[in-house]
Amino acid sequence: MRSNRKKPKNDQTKPEMKFIKSLGKGTYGSVDLFSYTKGDGSTFYNAVKISDSKYYNSINREFKVLSKLRGCQGIVQSFGNSLLQETDSDGKKVYKMAIEYAAGGNLTDFIRINRKLSDTFVKDFTRMLLQGLASVHDHGYVHCDLKPENLLLFPRHDQETRFCSYELKISDFGLTIKAGEESVCWETKSPFVGTPLYMSPESVHDGTAVEKTLDLWSLGCVVLEMCVGKHPWSGFSVDDIKSRLLCGKAPEIPETVPCDARKFVEKCFARKAEERGSASELLLHPFLVGERKVDGAGGGGGGGGERRRVGLRIRKPPERFDDIAKKPLKLKVISSKSSQFKRVSNKPQKVKIGRSRHPKSNFAPVQ
């Protein structure tokens, strides 16, 4: 008897996945760029974080945290309902997690290219960072590894106004834990959590519960780096940094740092953690608010302050170039006089510069 059951139709909506290039490698795995082509011909791009099975706990922790933070402002978004388990070319089990592709790269590279950033960029990036951090803390988490390398930039292009802006988001939640818990990342030989250059005094004490204020010290280090264009504790070894933190010392703040920024960083560097305040409170600091009137201060989800993207206006729409693949994709690049860019037309593009210095970037934003 012939069955009347219908054969399942092929899923025409499932996008075709194609590897584009490697974006980088780290301790816990690598990140690759993939393109996805839908049945209607439209193409979009995602970064895919890939981790070996021995680092499963880290990537699984990150996926769970990002799942809780979906839709939150200032947080890199993840996709899917679970990690994807596959086997690599060597037959080893790997786990994959799809996240937003940051075409502007990370803040580390942005600072390296532009050196110290303008006051406008420092303030706006700090505001975006605090809003994301407020969301993390409101959900009861401590990031534990806040640093420029884990802060990603997303260029946004307005074709009508020819304005390119940047949005900053927090990424890499592999070390994130619940506030009040003791980090599993502390070790006997290196009793600290996070990256040495950005760690807080309480990070060098073994057996100490992790609190949200730990992230605020790291925030101060990031803001200081944006202001001066170099790492905090530059020139010191890990042991030197640990010794100085134990003695109650913070990174030196150069005299060139503006007064309002200095006071903000000094508050982040308060020896007593409770004196640093909270991410939501720091959003109302004069460094970020100035003389602007703030309504509804202290609201949930990082209330206070004003969120806006920072960027520049260009006279001519971005041209296309094939930085990613042999076959040109639909990419757009911000023109610049820097040697980091290729000239893509016979007539040089021009940039109209406002009061702040034009930031450079060697990353190609993908639409």
Side-chain angles (χ1 to χ4, degrees):
M1 183 177 179
R2 182 176 296 177
S3 174
N4 293 325
R5 181 181 299 175
K6 296 182 179 180
K7 295 182 179 180
K9 296 182 179 179
N10 293 329
D11 186 2
Q12 299 296 329
T13 63
K14 186 176 180 180
E16 179 184 352
M17 182 175 175
K18 179 182 178 182
F19 171 81
I20 301 298
K21 67 174 182 178
S22 175
L23 296 175
K25 293 184 179 180
T27 304
Y28 300 103
S30 60
V31 182
D32 295 337
L33 176 64
F34 286 85
S35 69
Y36 298 80
T37 303
K38 296 182 179 180
D40 60 2
S42 61
T43 301
F44 60 98
Y45 300 83
N46 277 345
V48 177
K49 193 167 187 176
I50 306 171
S51 185
D52 295 337
S53 57
K54 61 181 177 180
Y55 298 123
Y56 169 77
N57 289 336
S58 178
I59 193 171
N60 186 54
R61 182 191 304 116
E62 180 172 14
F63 179 78
K64 287 182 177 179
V65 173
L66 286 177
S67 296
K68 293 286 186 179
L69 295 173
R70 282 183 183 171
C72 290
Q73 205 172 53
I75 305 296
V76 168
Q77 299 297 292
S78 65
F79 305 103
N81 298 320
S82 62
L83 293 173
L84 180 62
Q85 179 180 321
E86 293 184 357
T87 303
D88 64 13
S89 57
D90 297 325
K92 296 180 180 179
K93 186 185 298 183
V94 296
Y95 294 90
K96 297 183 176 182
M97 176 178 64
I99 58 177
E100 286 182 291
Y101 169 52
N106 60 48
L107 187 58
T108 294
D109 294 322
F110 195 84
I111 295 174
R112 176 180 56 82
I113 295 171
N114 295 279
R115 298 188 180 181
K116 64 179 181 180
L117 306 184
S118 68
D119 290 346
T120 300
F121 270 85
V122 173
K123 290 181 180 181
D124 285 337
F125 281 161
T126 300
R127 190 177 296 109
M128 294 176 190
L129 174 53
L130 273 171
Q131 288 171 335
L133 201 56
S135 295
V136 174
H137 292 173
D138 284 347
H139 282 77
Y141 293 111
V142 184
H143 187 278
C144 293
D145 197 19
L146 206 64
K147 57 184 178 181
E149 186 178 353
N150 291 337
L151 304 176
L152 304 184
L153 297 175
F154 293 78
R156 311 298 188 191
H157 298 277
D158 189 317
Q159 296 298 325
E160 293 184 1
T161 62
R162 300 176 182 177
F163 186 81
C164 174
S165 59
Y166 290 94
E167 186 173 7
L168 180 145
K169 296 185 180 183
I170 303 173
S171 72
D172 203 335
F173 291 79
L175 299 183
T176 299
I177 61 173
K178 280 286 187 178
E181 296 182 357
E182 184 176 337
S183 175
V184 297
C185 303
W186 271 313
E187 300 175 359
T188 304
K189 294 183 179 180
S190 300
F192 57 82
V193 59
T195 303
L197 288 172
Y198 306 92
M199 64 186 180
S200 65
E202 55 267 32
S203 297
V204 299
H205 294 284
D206 196 8
T208 304
V210 178
E211 299 298 341
K212 300 172 184 177
T213 47
L214 179 148
D215 285 337
L216 300 183
W217 179 285
S218 301
L219 166 70
C221 293
V222 173
V223 175
L224 181 58
E225 186 168 341
M226 286 192 290
C227 289
V228 301
K230 62 180 181 179
H231 301 302
W233 298 119
S234 182
F236 291 92
S237 67
V238 173
D239 289 336
D240 288 337
I241 295 173
K242 180 180 175 181
S243 298
R244 288 175 175 271
L245 288 174
L246 288 171
C247 292
K249 295 182 179 180
E252 181 181 355
I253 305 174
E255 293 295 332
T256 55
V257 175
C259 181
D260 57 348
R262 172 184 291 275
K263 291 181 179 179
F264 180 90
V265 174
E266 286 175 346
K267 185 169 181 62
C268 293
F269 287 164
R271 182 65 183 181
K272 294 182 179 179
E274 61 272 16
E275 294 179 0
R276 298 172 201 163
S278 67
S280 296
E281 290 171 351
L282 285 176
L283 274 167
L284 303 178
H285 192 279
F287 169 58
L288 300 178
V289 178
E291 298 180 354
R292 290 181 304 171
K293 182 179 178 180
V294 180
D295 298 321
E306 173 189 351
R307 183 178 183 85
R308 59 175 179 147
R309 297 173 184 152
V310 291
L312 60 147
R313 191 179 304 279
I314 55 179
R315 293 180 179 275
K316 188 176 179 180
E319 300 286 352
R320 305 172 187 271
F321 76 105
D322 52 349
D323 177 57
I324 291 182
K326 292 182 178 179
K327 182 178 180 181
L329 298 173
K330 294 181 178 180
L331 306 180
K332 294 186 177 180
V333 62
I334 306 170
S335 62
S336 172
K337 297 181 181 180
S338 170
S339 59
Q340 298 287 340
F341 292 81
K342 300 178 182 178
R343 181 172 295 179
V344 293
S345 65
N346 292 328
K347 183 179 179 181
Q349 293 177 328
K350 296 182 179 179
V351 177
K352 181 179 180 181
I353 305 177
R355 293 183 178 178
S356 60
R357 181 167 54 87
H358 167 46
K360 306 172 186 176
S361 172
N362 60 351
F363 292 86
V366 178
Q367 300 299 315

